Amino acid sequence: MTLLARFLLLVSVAAAGTAAKSDGDDEWVHLPDNCEVCKFVSIEMKSAFDETGKTKEVIDRNYRFIDSKGAPPIKYVKSDLRFIEVVENVCQRLLEYNLHKERSGSNRFAKGMSETFSTLHGLVNKGVNVVMDIPYELWNETSAEVSDLKKRCDVLVEQYEDVIEDWYKGSQEEDLTTYLCEKHVLKGKDTACLKEEWTPKKKGDQAAITEEKRKKKKKSEGNDSKKKKEKKVKKAAAGSMEGVQPQAPLSGMKTEL
């Protein structure tokens, strides 16, 4: 699809969106439901636990405030401190998400710039005057949906902190999404969104292929660096041979025994 075709498509989508907005805010702003909130809270919490679980740090609990013996040291990965840090910061991580309106269901919440805004930014960078209801300065601002996702995360974590702590202090063999969402937060309710997974498109999904482009670029740079190094080695070898005159065979001389 050409840039012009994309632009015309986006204009038509924006016009349709404006019409929907006038009909009712519920059609224009689709706030996350309970399933979506729990899904992304559990995803980010698992990610945070994975990140903090790689350290071998040991916490010294020998404060001697109560008695002279104190408490024995404990590994950070099993400490209350790790649990508190993850729980207190997990909702802030949701502000890294953006709204991808070209996707359906819970997949509309994802990190990275959406395909729509990637295209719009590309047009602006090429000098195209893109006119929208939203000012250019607000294009990258947190959407109402993502803001609501963060607020409801705060409520969920506070309400189910004991449940999360039970999972943390248990064996942790059960997946947190299953334990927290299916068995507690959404028990007896719709859990369909938990099974929704985003399958990147082969073409056009800028947010999905950014990482692939980065890998290809890195590989290309590595190959260029290797070629330059080989060139330098050959040049150095050729330079070391300069000034060395080849020995011509001596003619007209006889050797007598």
Side-chain angles (χ1 to χ4, degrees), residues 222-234:
N223 291 336
D224 290 344
S225 178
K226 186 178 178 181
K227 288 178 181 179
K228 286 180 181 178
K229 189 174 180 181
E230 290 175 352
K231 259 186 172 182
K232 286 182 180 179
V233 172
K234 289 180 181 179

Side-chain angles (χ1 to χ4, degrees), residues 25-247:
D25 289 341
D26 290 341
E27 295 180 24
W28 176 249
V29 178
H30 184 192
L31 297 178
D33 57 29
N34 292 334
C35 182
E36 292 169 333
V37 172
C38 193
K39 175 180 181 176
F40 292 107
V41 169
S42 63
I43 286 175
E44 286 306 312
M45 197 169 284
K46 285 188 288 186
S47 179
F49 277 127
D50 286 342
E51 292 166 9
T52 57
K54 297 175 182 178
T55 180
K56 295 181 179 180
E57 181 183 353
V58 175
I59 299 175
D60 184 7
R61 299 185 294 173
N62 189 19
Y63 301 122
R64 301 182 185 277
F65 290 157
I66 302 174
D67 53 46
S68 58
K69 294 181 180 179
I74 185 174
K75 292 181 179 179
Y76 173 78
V77 294
K78 294 185 178 181
S79 67
D80 290 339
L81 178 61
R82 179 191 178 206
F83 173 78
I84 293 170
E85 288 179 343
V86 169
V87 169
E88 286 186 348
N89 297 310
V90 67
C91 294
Q92 193 66 25
R93 294 167 67 105
L94 294 179
L95 293 179
E96 298 174 11
Y97 281 69
N98 284 310
L99 193 64
H100 297 237
K101 285 201 171 186
E102 66 274 5
R103 304 180 185 182
S104 61
S106 62
N107 291 321
R108 71 188 190 281
F109 292 104
K111 294 181 179 180
M113 187 179 293
S114 69
E115 181 183 353
T116 301
F117 277 100
S118 293
T119 303
L120 289 173
H121 277 291
L123 291 171
V124 171
N125 292 336
K126 290 180 180 295
V128 177
N129 183 24
V130 180
V131 180
M132 293 181 66
D133 290 340
I134 307 173
Y136 178 78
E137 294 76 17
L138 300 179
W139 283 12
N140 298 323
E141 289 295 311
T142 304
S143 67
E145 290 88 343
V146 172
S147 293
D148 190 67
L149 186 67
K150 194 270 180 187
K151 290 177 183 177
R152 292 177 63 181
C153 169
D154 291 329
V155 175
L156 185 149
V157 169
E158 183 178 358
Q159 187 175 354
Y160 291 91
E161 184 173 350
D162 291 341
V163 173
I164 301 168
E165 187 174 7
D166 289 342
W167 173 87
Y168 176 74
K169 292 185 175 180
S171 62
Q172 297 187 19
E173 291 179 357
E174 189 170 17
D175 180 69
L176 180 58
T177 302
T178 302
Y179 184 84
L180 176 62
C181 300
E182 290 188 13
K183 293 189 174 181
H184 291 87
V185 179
L186 303 172
K187 188 176 181 179
K189 299 177 182 177
D190 183 17
T191 61
C193 84
L194 301 179
K195 297 177 177 61
E196 292 176 347
E197 294 184 3
W198 174 246
T199 303
K201 299 176 183 177
K202 292 183 179 180
K203 295 181 181 180
D205 188 349
Q206 188 62 33
I209 64 177
T210 298
E211 182 63 16
E212 185 65 25
K213 281 187 176 181
R214 186 189 67 79
K215 288 180 181 178
K216 286 183 179 179
K217 184 179 179 182
K218 188 175 181 181
K219 184 178 179 181
S220 176
E221 288 174 350
N223 291 336
D224 290 344
S225 178
K226 186 178 178 181
K227 288 178 181 179
K228 286 180 181 178
K229 189 174 180 181
E230 290 175 352
K231 259 186 172 182
K232 286 182 180 179
V233 172
K234 289 180 181 179
K235 190 175 181 181
S240 65
M241 295 298 293
E242 288 181 3
V244 178
Q245 299 294 331
Q247 294 183 352

